Amino acid sequence: MQPAPSHLVPSRLAKRARYDAETIHPILDEALFCTISFCSENRPFSIPTSFVRHEDKIYIHGSVGSHFIREIEKGVPVCITVMLMDSLVVAKSAFSHSVNYRSVIIISNAEKVEDRELKTASFEWLTNKIVPDSWDYLRPIKESEIRKTAVLAFSLEEASAKTRSGMPKDEPEDQILPIWSGLIPLNNSRMPAIADESSENIPLPKHLR
């Protein structure tokens, strides 16, 4: 395995970093949103957006008129971040509090997707990620909608994951204190669907149950 590029090696707790697809891909597949950061005209920008991974790239969609899309499709360097929080780590001192998490950082440049079949496929991938099994249920996408939407791909060649798991790591002298410590699990789950007025008399489809 090639050594990780220096800009992907964390300055703290580097032992938590991983650079293999077996670690990185599942985090990207679970996360629904990422944040894309870049510089334009000497100003920093950081934009949250939905994304989908397919093989060794991630894809995002946006309006062809979006300033954000128009800027990064020029190929400027971007930093893409994803974070999943699993639990709050409550220690016996505020200094030792932490978070159990899984995160990914990607350094890449946008590749504009022009191929119509790949663009359409990326719409399907993202739609089914956000609402599983919904693509075939929905009204088919229109040609005009494809034209109005830009699709950008980003290589995962320069990507790293960093994670934390486990209980608090209190200082030895703190471990004997009569103060509770442990984990507070976090759960970001999908709740039951709520129909709008036009769908009140339409049975809830199987993929939404």
Side-chain angles (χ1 to χ4, degrees), residues 82-114:
V82 167
M83 182 173 180
L84 299 171
M85 293 178 60
D86 297 318
S87 56
L88 303 177
V89 180
V90 181
K92 295 181 184 295
S93 72
F95 183 80
S96 296
H97 279 7
S98 188
V99 175
N100 283 339
Y101 66 93
R102 292 162 289 148
S103 66
V104 171
I105 293 177
I106 303 161
I107 305 297
S108 190
N109 305 81
E111 307 166 29
K112 189 174 182 179
V113 176
E114 303 280 12

Side-chain angles (χ1 to χ4, degrees), residues 69-168:
I69 293 293
R70 293 201 312 269
E71 284 298 306
I72 64 174
E73 72 180 9
K74 297 174 183 176
V76 300
V78 300
C79 178
I80 303 171
T81 57
V82 167
M83 182 173 180
L84 299 171
M85 293 178 60
D86 297 318
S87 56
L88 303 177
V89 180
V90 181
K92 295 181 184 295
S93 72
F95 183 80
S96 296
H97 279 7
S98 188
V99 175
N100 283 339
Y101 66 93
R102 292 162 289 148
S103 66
V104 171
I105 293 177
I106 303 161
I107 305 297
S108 190
N109 305 81
E111 307 166 29
K112 189 174 182 179
V113 176
E114 303 280 12
D115 181 79
R116 186 194 180 284
E117 288 188 9
L118 181 55
K119 282 186 72 173
T120 304
S122 73
F123 296 151
E124 180 176 356
W125 300 332
L126 181 59
T127 301
N128 282 336
K129 179 183 182 182
I130 301 298
V131 184
D133 302 321
S134 64
W135 179 260
D136 291 334
Y137 172 81
L138 300 170
R139 183 264 289 163
I141 193 168
K142 297 177 181 178
E143 199 63 40
S144 61
E145 294 170 333
I146 297 175
R147 291 195 303 270
K148 292 176 182 176
T149 307
V151 176
L152 302 181
F154 300 87
S155 169
L156 297 178
E157 183 177 351
E158 293 191 33
S160 68
K162 191 177 180 184
T163 65
R164 187 205 190 277
S165 60
M167 287 292 179

Side-chain angles (χ1 to χ4, degrees), residues 189-195 204 208-209:
S189 61
R190 296 174 188 246
M191 305 298 287
I194 301 172
L204 192 66
L208 294 179
R209 296 173 190 164

